Amino acid sequence: MTRLFDLDWQLLHDAFLMILAIFALFLFLSHFLFNPVRKFLTDRQSRIADDIETAQTEKADAIALKEDYENRIREIDKQAEEILSAARQKALANEADIVAKAKEEAARIIARANAEAELEKKKAADDVKKEMIQIASAMAGKVVAANIDTTVSDGLIDETLKEIGESTWLS
């Protein structure tokens, strides 16, 4: 028998054994190398997917927390403005109250000063009356000393009394 391409039973047998050894090696490596690597890669892929999902939920939570924080800041600003507005109104009310009290006090002081001035006027009028009475009595004494008749003395007294009456009305 002539050999085709130099194929003989030994070469075929060696080739068959080589194929069988490669297949056994492939099964061995598949079981101890490829499967653990595949498992490692799938675990890593699932971890990355979980990390991405966790990052997305944390990002959504952070955005919600940021919005809540900003809303609270706006509310605090509104409350601060309300407090400041109330404080301004209270200050204006206190200012108006203080001004009103000051005006009342000033009115009382003016009324008291007017009353004192009125009393001083009355006192001055009384002093003038007393002096006029003294003058009138001195004049009456001179009239009596000069022996003026009663009609003249009555006229002098009436004239003095009229002057006293006019001075009280003038004050």
Side-chain angles (χ1 to χ4, degrees), residues 95-147:
E95 176 187 11
D97 188 39
I98 289 170
V99 168
K101 285 181 182 178
K103 285 182 180 179
E104 287 176 12
E105 184 67 24
R108 274 190 259 130
I109 290 171
I110 290 171
R112 192 176 312 131
N114 287 338
E116 287 178 9
E118 194 63 36
L119 287 175
E120 287 296 321
K121 282 182 184 180
K122 287 181 182 179
K123 185 178 177 183
D126 288 343
D127 289 343
V128 169
K129 283 181 188 179
K130 287 178 185 177
E131 284 193 34
M132 290 179 97
I133 290 172
Q134 289 174 354
I135 291 171
S137 58
M139 284 175 53
K142 288 181 182 180
V143 169
V144 171
N147 285 329

Side-chain angles (χ1 to χ4, degrees), residues 23 34 43 77 86 97 107 121 145-146 151:
F23 183 71
F34 295 142
D43 290 346
D77 287 342
D97 188 39
K121 282 182 184 180
T151 56

Side-chain angles (χ1 to χ4, degrees), residues 3-38:
R3 295 188 199 169
L4 186 66
F5 304 111
D6 276 341
L7 289 177
D8 63 352
W9 287 105
Q10 182 65 36
L11 181 63
L12 289 175
H13 182 279
D14 286 343
F16 178 73
L17 283 178
M18 179 75 74
I19 290 172
L20 216 108
I22 288 174
F23 183 71
L25 185 60
F26 178 75
L27 287 177
F28 177 77
L29 287 177
S30 171
H31 182 66
F32 288 110
L33 183 65
F34 295 142
N35 286 340
V37 169
R38 279 188 203 131

Side-chain angles (χ1 to χ4, degrees), residues 64-80:
L65 186 63
K66 179 184 174 193
E67 289 175 4
D68 183 47
Y69 178 73
E70 289 174 352
N71 288 336
R72 286 184 182 181
I73 287 176
R74 278 189 230 112
E75 288 297 321
I76 289 172
D77 287 342
K78 286 179 185 177
Q79 288 176 355

Side-chain angles (χ1 to χ4, degrees), residues 80-90:
E81 188 61 36
E82 289 173 4
I83 290 170
L84 287 174
S85 175
R88 286 184 194 116
Q89 290 174 354
K90 188 175 181 180

